[in-house]
Amino acid sequence: MTNRLAQAQSLYLRKHAENPIDWWTWCDEALATAKAENKPIFLSIGYSSCHWCTVMEGEAFSDAAIAEYMNAHFIPIKVDREERPDLDSIYMQALQMMVGQGGWPLNIFIAPDDLVPFYGGTYFPVEPRYGRPGFLQILQAIRRYYDTEKQDLLARKAAILEAIQKSAVLPQTQQSAEDLLRKGIETNTGVITPHDYGTQFPMIPYAELALRGTRFNYSWRYDIKQVCQQRGLDLATGGIFDHVGGGFHRYTVDPTWTVPHFEKMLYDNGQIVEYLANLWAAGVQEPAIERAIALTVQWLKREMTASEGYFYAAQDADSFTHPNETEPEEGAFYVWTYHELQQILSPVELAEVEQQFTVTPQGNFEGQNVLQRRHSAQLSESLTQALSKLFIVRYGAAPESLDVFPPARNNQEAKTQNWSGRIPVVTDTKMIVAWNSLMISGLARAYAVFKKAEYLEVALEAAHFILNHQSVNGRFHRLNYEGQTSVIAQSEDYALFIKALLDLHQVMQEKDEPTAWQFWLEKAIALQAEFDEYLWSVELGGYYNTASDASQDLIVRERSYADNATPAANGVAIANLMQLALLTEDLTYLDKAEQGLQAFSSIMDSAPQACPSLFSALDWYRNCTLIRSIPKQLESLLGEYLPTSVLAVATDLPTNALALVCQGLSCLPPISSQAELLEQVWQSQIRGEERGAWGE
């Protein structure tokens, strides 16, 4: 017997279709039923590749006694956080206020009359363990509290709602922009400075900001160049990278970048590719970096690209080792026992693998081996051949002959299909605009730096798919399930896709065909107009997470400013506005950028570690530079690291001029030599060191 979720498009929701719990989706009918029956809502938010979400689905949500009590006393609602990041953001913030920390699965109890939360947690076990009560006990206590403690419930809800609403309105600071930018760069560089404890995440918004700081001649507390280089090498050589098949895992569970949590998320891979390409352009030209980008693009094309051209969302961490297994094992698709390596490789090959990778008979992950490189130099031909042998065992074919590896869309497909190699991980095949946009930007930047045509071709296909399918009845949409468009776009979808369009506009200008690059700028301008109409906050400045006509069921309209696994929408959006102002000479974009930065200035001052993307936007605001030249000259600049510059094809340069460099609203004397051009551009990008306040 299946529940309502059997009809859901979301892979995560469908994973709960066999639960005895009578799940609803977040919809008007569910909310109205809860209110009419006076039942508190049990809201559970997660995502398909979340390990503890999967655990709870197989335990508490599959328990008959829990389901019986839940169905009788609550309205249970399941939400895929990747479909509704706005709901996830609001209720995650509430959970953090209540218990001091958050995570997924996010399980929270909500009053049906006003949708205000009053209790929550993350993983709840069936029986009491890990110092936590059993889930049935919690349900019984919550329902008893809801029925008998009305006054305390009202007071508790009022305090939580006030805190949530208060957090949505931010004061402004009088801190000078130069001091603020310097503080932001230094603080966020400290966040990614290597340490010997805890898990290690990519944290690309932080790394990108730190890399920007390498331009300035301040006396920094950290060796910023070394920190940025180390972050890139940790990513390219660590166990977080799949050295056999390409692509980056979510994070490592240790401080040495050795053992990953094995899920692969599209958003991580897009950001990492862009950062590594920028690092290369900035002078860190280690062979491991170029190889990591190349293999990641191969993985993307082979396993994560639909025939229509868009990119899938994620791959699970867990997979089966045998079709008869009931539960998948974490990392099974990726790790190697020493005995396996002895069987697959020749003694000479195994010796070289042991020399170059962290491979031992004891292993580094539950008796098995995660491959982590010991060096960042060029791989030998014999070592490349050894890795190809491992690829064949995993995939059942050689890397050069396997263009497409079809996805297993659920556990049943994974276990029943006749795979030539190992049983693969499950792939979440939905298309998310924001995540696709991050990958498009990464590919565009990698093309600019390495000039590999396939990087640009893949990016263009995905961008065209979004342009052709994600606008319905004049409105931009966030999701696509095998051709079916869904969910009105949120701020991160607008901001990141506009960035992707601008990134494509930049690289397409090397082609001496105006239609080839004007198209992308025109699309960015049109989408920005829709973004401004539906999500810009006239009263507060900045962009709301949700559109004005799609936020009726939210207890507050938030404006995202904090970076997490993905960059905050407002930081990206403000940087976009600065580029549009330069490219169009429309100063309304500049006005909005200034309002946005001022709107978030207090959080930038008080909690700089929360918002590196806003500091990147501030860097754009203070050091924005427009370079106008002919396509051939622009092509030579594309591979340079010029983080606050935009390029524009010029047809009206003065006689004998090579290029024209404009700093904000004023242009410098025409340039007649390449050396003079590079010097002028470089100086333009650090002129903010000499200015003391907003826009001076």
Side-chain angles (χ1 to χ4, degrees):
M1 178 72 72
T2 58
N3 56 44
R4 295 178 186 85
L5 301 187
Q7 306 304 315
Q9 295 173 309
S10 160
L11 171 63
Y12 173 66
L13 298 186
R14 289 201 308 274
K15 283 183 176 181
H16 295 76
E18 302 286 340
N19 293 162
I21 291 176
D22 189 20
W23 290 112
W24 294 76
T25 61
W26 183 276
C27 61
D28 292 341
E29 185 181 358
L31 302 182
T33 301
K35 191 171 184 178
E37 297 180 6
N38 191 28
K39 288 182 178 178
I41 294 168
F42 171 68
L43 175 63
S44 182
I45 303 177
Y47 56 102
S48 66
S49 54
C50 163
H51 174 71
W52 286 103
C53 301
T54 301
V55 171
M56 198 164 177
E57 184 279 321
E59 294 179 349
F61 296 153
S62 296
D63 185 272
I66 288 173
E68 182 180 6
Y69 190 86
M70 175 78 79
N71 295 339
H73 297 91
F74 296 87
I75 296 295
I77 297 179
K78 257 288 166 198
V79 166
D80 183 340
R81 71 176 291 256
E82 294 168 359
E83 288 190 326
R84 292 295 303 269
D86 53 341
L87 287 170
D88 178 70
S89 177
I90 292 169
Y91 291 111
M92 182 61 74
Q93 182 184 177
L95 178 64
Q96 290 167 337
M97 290 175 178
M98 286 187 256
V99 302
Q101 61 183 20
W104 295 277
L106 164 56
N107 294 309
I108 201 158
F109 296 87
I110 302 172
D113 55 335
D114 53 14
L115 304 182
V116 176
F118 60 91
Y119 183 80
T122 53
Y123 168 77
F124 292 126
V126 176
E127 303 294 338
R129 66 177 188 268
Y130 310 133
R132 305 177 185 213
F135 192 39
L136 182 57
Q137 293 174 279
I138 290 172
L139 293 174
Q140 291 168 339
I142 291 295
R143 184 64 209 228
R144 192 161 51 245
Y145 172 80
Y146 180 80
D147 290 335
T148 62
E149 301 291 338
K150 295 296 186 183
Q151 291 304 312
D152 189 76
L153 175 64
L154 288 172
R156 183 177 180 83
K157 288 198 304 172
I160 292 170
L161 182 60
E162 181 182 10
I164 292 173
Q165 291 175 335
K166 186 176 180 180
S167 69
V169 180
L170 303 169
Q172 296 182 12
T173 185
Q174 299 303 312
Q175 177 87 287
S176 79
E178 181 184 6
D179 291 343
L180 202 56
L181 181 57
R182 181 172 178 171
K183 178 179 181 180
I185 292 172
E186 192 157 72
T187 301
N188 286 288
T189 301
V191 172
I192 63 165
T193 296
H195 50 75
D196 58 0
Y197 57 87
T199 56
Q200 295 294 321
F201 287 84
M203 302 184 78
I204 299 303
Y206 298 83
E208 286 283 11
L209 177 62
L211 189 59
R212 288 170 172 270
T214 60
R215 307 186 336 265
F216 300 110
N217 297 316
Y218 295 127
S219 177
W220 298 108
R221 191 188 320 163
Y222 308 98
D223 185 340
I224 293 188
K225 291 182 179 179
Q226 176 58 35
V227 169
C228 293
Q229 177 172 323
Q230 190 61 53
R231 177 54 50 116
L233 293 178
D234 285 337
L235 290 167
T237 65
I240 195 171
F241 179 64
D242 179 359
H243 296 279
V244 172
F248 291 87
H249 299 295
R250 180 70 194 93
Y251 60 88
T252 61
V253 299
D254 50 59
T256 58
W257 296 88
T258 303
V259 178
H261 180 50
F262 291 91
E263 63 184 326
K264 290 181 181 177
M265 311 300 294
L266 182 67
Y267 58 71
D268 284 321
N269 283 273
Q271 291 178 89
I272 293 171
V273 166
E274 183 168 11
Y275 176 69
L276 293 181
N278 280 333
L279 198 60
W280 184 281
V284 183
Q285 299 184 351
E286 295 283 349
I289 289 176
E290 185 175 13
R291 180 178 185 272
I293 292 174
L295 260 66
T296 297
V297 177
Q298 289 178 24
W299 162 78
L300 181 75
K301 294 174 65 178
R302 182 181 65 243
E303 300 177 48
M304 295 290 286
T305 304
S307 58
E308 298 86 349
Y310 63 83
F311 308 127
Y312 301 142
Q315 292 181 323
D316 283 1
D318 309 339
S319 60
F320 298 95
T321 57
H322 191 277
N324 294 331
E325 286 181 324
T326 56
E327 293 296 330
E329 297 178 19
E330 184 171 9
F333 191 58
Y334 301 106
V335 297
W336 309 90
T337 65
Y338 193 78
H339 179 64
E340 282 179 305
L341 296 174
Q342 287 178 312
Q343 290 181 313
I344 298 166
L345 305 175
S346 70
V348 173
E349 289 171 332
L350 179 56
E352 188 174 10
V353 168
E354 288 184 272
Q355 182 183 28
Q356 296 294 325
F357 290 88
T358 56
V359 169
T360 65
Q362 298 76 29
N364 52 25
F365 172 66
E366 299 178 356
Q368 303 179 92
N369 288 281
V370 174
L371 299 185
Q372 178 180 19
R373 292 185 62 177
R374 301 182 191 274
H375 309 287
S376 59
Q378 188 80 32
L379 292 183
S380 68
E381 188 173 333
S382 57
L383 192 56
T384 300
Q385 185 60 37
L387 293 174
S388 292
K389 287 185 176 182
L390 299 183
F391 185 99
I392 292 170
V393 170
R394 187 196 288 178
Y395 291 99
E400 60 272 12
S401 64
L402 189 61
D403 295 328
V404 177
F405 187 71
R409 298 168 189 270
N410 52 57
N411 285 344
Q412 186 65 19
E413 282 191 12
K415 291 200 291 184
T416 56
Q417 288 194 27
N418 185 25
W419 305 101
S420 299
R422 292 176 170 179
I423 298 174
V425 294
V426 169
T427 299
D428 185 349
T429 57
K430 70 172 173 287
M431 195 287 300
I432 303 176
V433 167
W435 300 8
N436 270 248
S437 302
L438 287 167
M439 195 73 242
I440 292 167
S441 288
L443 290 165
R445 187 60 185 141
Y447 168 74
V449 172
F450 296 102
K451 291 295 186 286
K452 291 190 177 181
E454 66 171 333
Y455 295 178
L456 181 57
E457 291 167 4
V458 177
L460 290 172
E461 283 191 25
H464 278 299
F465 178 89
I466 293 172
L467 288 173
N468 293 336
H469 295 87
Q470 291 311 110
S471 286
V472 178
N473 297 325
R475 293 302 305 280
F476 196 45
H477 283 65
R478 173 176 176 80
L479 303 174
N480 194 292
Y481 289 98
E482 298 181 350
Q484 187 170 348
T485 305
S486 179
V487 181
I488 293 289
Q490 305 206 346
S491 59
E492 67 170 7
D493 301 300
Y494 282 100
L496 289 168
F497 191 53
I498 291 167
K499 178 186 183 299
L501 293 170
L502 292 172
D503 290 339
L504 288 174
H505 167 259
Q506 291 294 285
V507 297
M508 293 298 287
Q509 287 183 111
E510 69 177 23
K511 306 179 186 303
D512 197 6
E513 305 168 15
T515 55
W517 45 265
Q518 287 176 347
F519 172 84
W520 300 103
L521 180 58
E522 290 168 359
K523 293 298 182 183
I525 292 169
L527 191 59
Q528 184 67 48
E530 183 180 328
F531 191 18
D532 291 341
E533 179 180 356
Y534 289 100
L535 288 97
W536 175 257
S537 173
V538 176
E539 301 84 4
L540 302 174
Y543 293 92
Y544 290 115
N545 290 356
T546 27
S548 54
D549 59 349
S551 54
Q552 297 86 347
D553 55 358
L554 304 180
I555 59 176
V556 64
R557 285 185 80 191
E558 292 185 315
R559 295 169 298 154
S560 172
Y561 59 79
D563 296 88
N564 42 60
T566 55
N570 273 290
V572 176
I574 293 168
N576 292 341
L577 289 169
M578 292 306 305
Q579 294 173 70
L580 286 167
L582 292 173
L583 291 168
T584 66
E585 299 180 359
D586 183 346
L587 296 186
T588 59
Y589 294 126
L590 181 61
D591 293 339
K592 275 191 166 64
E594 184 171 14
Q595 290 175 52
L597 286 169
Q598 290 178 339
F600 300 108
S601 59
S602 66
I603 203 72
M604 295 169 74
D605 189 12
S606 63
Q609 73 280 4
C611 50
S613 290
L614 281 171
F615 287 102
S616 292
L618 177 58
D619 187 19
W620 267 106
Y621 183 74
R622 291 179 56 70
N623 296 291
C624 61
T625 302
L626 174 67
I627 307 168
R628 301 177 64 232
S629 190
I630 60 174
K632 186 175 182 180
Q633 183 60 49
L634 296 181
E635 182 182 2
S636 70
L637 293 173
L638 280 171
E640 300 288 334
Y641 182 60
L642 306 171
T644 58
S645 291
V646 287
L647 311 178
V649 173
T651 57
D652 57 348
L653 291 174
T655 304
N656 298 324
L658 185 68
L660 195 63
V661 175
C662 301
Q663 300 178 346
L665 304 179
S666 61
C667 295
L668 301 176
I671 299 164
S672 57
S673 72
Q674 181 75 13
E676 186 183 359
L677 171 60
L678 291 175
E679 177 63 22
Q680 205 175 88
V681 170
W682 186 253
Q683 289 300 322
S684 293
Q685 290 208 115
I686 59 173
R687 67 187 188 277
E689 286 183 327
E690 303 167 1
R691 297 156 57 196
W694 302 104
E696 282 185 7

